Amino acid sequence: MTESSPFFSDKPVVAIRNACIFQEHNVVLEDVSFTIDKGEFIYLVGRTGSGKSSLLRTMYVDLPLRLGEIEIAGYDVKTIKTSEIPFLRRRLGIIFQDFQLFADRTVDENLFFVMRATGWKDRAKMKQRLAEVLMRVGLGTAGSKMPHQLSGGEQQRVAIARALINEPILLIADEPTGNLDPQVSDGIVQLFREINYMGTTVLMATHNYQFIKNYPARVLKCENNRLLDSKYEKIELGGYY
Ligand SMILES: Nc1ncnc2c1ncn2[C@@H]1O[C@H](COP(=O)(O)OP(=O)(O)OP(=O)(O)O)[C@@H](O)[C@H]1O
Ligand SMILES: [Mg+2]
């Protein structure tokens, strides 16, 4: 890792300027501008269909950026080459509502698969990293289990462990607790808070305002095709959303 690496610099992890977020020919969010500094924990909220996933997908270059600028983890999304996208994604840990584990292999094999795909070769180092990330998510003894032998909350912890393998500077979680009951969800949010406390920046889309009450942090809200930011304005979280 070089000194110009975003991991050590004071540059924002994310800088978005005047971006327009599209789905096909529709503008989902207009004139989006915000920065995320290293170490922040941020909730992304808004009604269903308001543009949360579209914004996140544009950030990790799964939707094209047509207007405006996005810099993320040291990459310029406007000019990024297709061949560089896997390297950007490696600097991000991306977590979804459906855990997206391979059902036909063990937890260990799920994680080894990602390590091999991202260039790990030394078997001893791989085993050590695997043990570290599983321990980190509280699943130190689950390595030999198949996903179907784990609860939903445990499967999401495996997905989080997988996202942590390459020490991402930003974790992007799109409704990570959408399939989990309230108590298990609370444990997952606490885990994200712990990971954030250890230094990883976290951006989490959620519909659960209870998290924000229990663990207050900066909020970005998609509303009426705009992105509101609690850093600069009061954001209404009461009532139906
Ligand atoms: N693959 C797609 N193709 C076309 N339009 C889409 C696609 N995905 C989403 N949209 C539209 O884009 C808008 C924003 O959707 P998006 O999925 O970003 O919302 P969201 O805030 O993530 O909602 P939810 O809380 O339900 O996940 C909606 O009008 C939606 O219908
Ligand atoms: Mg969504």
Side-chain angles (χ1 to χ4, degrees):
M1 200 165 278
T2 64
E3 271 186 35
S4 63
S5 152
F7 206 77
F8 293 114
S9 88
D10 291 331
K11 269 185 71 173
V13 175
V14 177
I16 303 190
R17 280 177 296 273
N18 310 115
C20 235
I21 306 300
F22 287 85
Q23 279 284 5
E24 296 172 347
H25 299 296
N26 302 317
V27 176
V28 177
L29 292 168
E30 272 175 74
D31 199 19
V32 173
S33 296
F34 65 90
T35 58
I36 299 179
D37 289 326
K38 184 162 166 16
E40 283 200 89
F41 185 103
I42 302 181
Y43 296 103
L44 176 61
V45 303
R47 287 179 188 224
T48 188
S50 62
K52 301 180 294 297
S53 298
S54 306
L55 172 62
L56 297 178
R57 288 180 58 198
T58 311
M59 289 169 67
Y60 57 79
V61 205
D62 192 38
L63 278 179
L65 174 65
R66 296 194 218 156
L67 215 59
E69 292 163 48
I70 299 183
E71 277 175 54
I72 181 163
Y75 289 86
D76 182 340
V77 169
K78 209 48 176 284
T79 57
I80 194 168
K81 296 191 187 81
T82 308
S83 60
E84 291 175 320
I85 294 173
F87 295 96
L88 164 61
R89 302 241 176 98
R90 210 171 293 178
R91 305 297 294 128
L92 313 173
I94 306 172
I95 294 150
F96 301 99
Q97 178 170 343
D98 56 341
F99 324 117
Q100 299 195 0
L101 302 174
F102 291 114
D104 63 346
R105 55 192 93 178
T106 63
V107 168
D108 283 349
E109 276 308 321
N110 266 276
L111 301 190
F112 281 139
F113 178 88
V114 170
M115 288 186 193
R116 282 192 297 271
T118 56
W120 291 68
K121 293 200 169 67
D122 181 323
R123 191 79 186 164
K125 284 193 181 141
M126 288 166 78
K127 278 191 168 169
Q128 190 189 343
R129 185 66 187 147
L130 176 108
E132 281 167 7
V133 291
L134 283 180
M135 196 74 81
R136 184 74 211 78
V137 301
L139 285 182
T141 58
S144 59
K145 297 234 169 96
M146 299 295 283
H148 70 84
Q149 295 176 301
L150 301 173
S151 69
E154 289 167 335
Q155 289 184 49
Q156 189 57 298
R157 283 172 189 266
V158 174
I160 296 169
R162 181 181 57 189
L164 290 174
I165 284 172
N166 291 307
E167 297 183 62
I169 65 165
L170 173 65
L171 276 186
I172 292 180
D174 194 351
E175 292 195 49
T177 63
N179 287 343
L180 303 172
D181 73 43
Q183 206 182 340
V184 172
S185 298
D186 194 77
I188 294 290
V189 176
Q190 281 185 37
L191 175 60
F192 279 119
R193 297 294 286 174
E194 284 168 29
I195 290 166
N196 173 248
Y197 187 74
M198 306 294 282
T200 308
T201 312
V202 177
L203 174 59
M204 183 177 100
T206 183
H207 281 281
N208 191 334
Y209 287 6
Q210 198 60 43
F211 297 155
I212 307 173
K213 291 205 178 85
N214 293 346
Y215 314 102
R218 181 176 166 197
V219 177
L220 299 173
K221 185 179 190 187
C222 302
E223 190 171 85
N224 300 328
N225 302 105
R226 296 274 170 174
L227 191 79
L228 311 177
D229 186 343
S230 71
K231 201 168 163 183
Y232 302 108
E233 56 213 309
K234 189 167 164 33
I235 290 191
E236 197 52 63
L237 292 175
Y240 179 78
Y241 61 95

